[in-house]
């Protein structure tokens, strides 16, 4: 594999690291923030199950993201992933749980605008609708589970020590499920932009297993997510766990109901089951785990009358959700300009949409990049 290919893949690894640093908080933030589970324990479990979820069940949501904008050149994929990663990193540094889904969507739209490629309105509408549905659905699950859990505990009349032990076990199991769902649903955000331009080929392991190019990309991305969990996720975990409102031990377990939302939007098996029985299907879309966990926390808070909610923190999180895709889109657009016009990189391989918009006109007969015919006045060098 060429060194340049490895370089272009680094932005996907950067985005995976940023996702792990930020979104692990949505899986174990409430448990770690309330000190029901140690950070080290949470990080190890999260890393293992994120990798399993990404490799085993990560393909479903990638198709929808690809319809939004199938970036078909490695330099373009590099810049889209880098722009999304930078936006997520800036929000993570501020301690805000933001959406990598929103970041990569903003970056893809930035690529579409630069290359003059049409954005699929159906795919965009499907993704945007989940940004509204996701927190509402998570809040509904959290309310139902909270009521059911408190009712079951009151009838069981467990000793406080045993109840504490069961709660910790429940948090570990729910966290493992949440990490699996996170990997399955959000790996498309990390490596989805590289699928169309993947440099890998089928890889056989001991003649028993065959890893497709997509699975190899997902494995790399999942390892990067795990590294982000281990190295930089603790601060955002504390924001989710204690920043929005104080949570009881039971409430911390119920908040992981957001994992159910991620699983619903990533399960190909569930989609096939619904189709075979003639039922409406749930779209396979990479949804925001940040929106889901915040929706779950607010659902429990509203069930309790809304007391104790730190609305200033909630407002900051909401502002981060708005700013993140804008930053990613702007960085991607500007970065593509430099890649194409300064570093002579093909950010668009042709065959999709229209040719990239000409940023400037070159005199006739002037060479504008490697392997390209002389440019004509006012014509993009990528137009065939």
């Amino acid at each position: 594999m060429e060194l340049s290919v490895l370089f272009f893949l680094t932005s996907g690894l950067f985005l995976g690291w940023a996702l792990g640093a930020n979104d692990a908080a949505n899986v174990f933030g409430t448990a770690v923030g309330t000190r029901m589970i140690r950070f080290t324990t949470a990080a190890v479990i999260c890393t293992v199950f994120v990798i399993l979820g990404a490799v085993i069940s990560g393909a479903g949501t990638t198709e929808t993201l690809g319809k939004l904008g199938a970036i078909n050149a490695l330099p373009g994929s590099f810049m889209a992933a880098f722009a999304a990663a930078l936006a997520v990193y800036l929000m993570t540094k501020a301690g805000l749980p933001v959406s990598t889904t929103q970041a990569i969507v903003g970056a893809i739209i930035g690529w579409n605008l630069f290359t003059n490629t049409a954005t699929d309105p159906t795919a965009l509408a499907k993704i945007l609708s989940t940004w509204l549905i996701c927190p509402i659905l998570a809040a509904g699950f959290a309310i139902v589970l909270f009521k059911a859990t408190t009712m079951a505990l009151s009838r069981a009349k467990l000793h406080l020590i045993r109840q504490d032990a069961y709660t910790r076990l429940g948090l570990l199991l729910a966290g493992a499920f949440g990490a699996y769902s996170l990997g399955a649903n959000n790996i498309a955000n990390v490596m989805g932009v590289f699928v169309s331009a993947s440099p890998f080929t089928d890889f056989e392991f001991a003649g028993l297993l065959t890893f497709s190019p997509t699975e190899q990309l997902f494995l790399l991305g999942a390892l990067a997510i795990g590294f982000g969990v281990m190295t930089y996720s603790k601060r955002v975990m504390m924001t989710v766990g204690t920043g929005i409102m104080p949570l009881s031990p039971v409430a911390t377990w119920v908040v992981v109901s957001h994992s159910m939302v991620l699983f619903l939007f990533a399960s190909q098996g569930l989609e096939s089951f619904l189709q075979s029985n003639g039922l409406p299907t749930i779209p396979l879309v990479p949804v925001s785990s940040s929106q889901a966990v915040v929706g779950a926390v607010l659902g429990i808070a509203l069930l309790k009358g809304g007391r104790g909610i730190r609305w200033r923190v909630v407002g900051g999180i909401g502002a981060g959700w708005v700013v993140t895709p804008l930053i990613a889109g702007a960085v991607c657009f500007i970065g593509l300009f430099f890649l194409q016009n300064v570093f002579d990189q093909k950010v668009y391989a042709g065959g999709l949409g229209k040719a990239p918009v000409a940023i400037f006109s070159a005199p006739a007969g002037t060479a504008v990049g490697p392997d390209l015919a002389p440019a004509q006045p006012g014509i993009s060098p990528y137009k065939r």
Side-chain angles (χ1 to χ4, degrees), residues 85-125:
L86 182 62
V88 173
Y89 171 73
L90 293 175
M91 296 298 108
T92 302
K93 197 169 180 63
L96 296 176
V98 297
S99 169
T100 51
T101 301
Q102 292 175 338
I104 198 63
V105 166
I108 289 174
I109 292 176
W111 182 84
N112 288 348
L113 291 174
F114 183 83
T115 60
N116 202 21
T117 300
T119 300
D120 188 329
T122 303
L124 181 60

Side-chain angles (χ1 to χ4, degrees), residues 19-89:
L19 187 148
N22 195 283
D23 285 16
N26 307 325
V27 177
F28 277 109
T30 54
V32 172
T34 53
R35 290 174 171 74
M36 293 294 290
I37 295 178
R38 293 180 179 179
F39 170 75
T40 304
T41 303
V44 171
I45 293 175
C46 186
T47 298
V48 171
F49 282 90
V50 158
I51 293 172
L52 291 174
V55 176
I56 296 173
S57 303
T61 59
T62 304
E63 183 179 351
T64 301
L65 202 61
K67 290 178 181 177
L68 182 64
I71 303 176
N72 60 350
L74 271 177
S77 300
F78 164 82
M79 186 49 62
F82 177 80
L86 182 62
V88 173
Y89 171 73

Side-chain angles (χ1 to χ4, degrees), residues 366-376 381 384:
T366 302
V368 293
D371 303 322
L372 295 176
Q376 300 299 319
R384 295 289 185 261

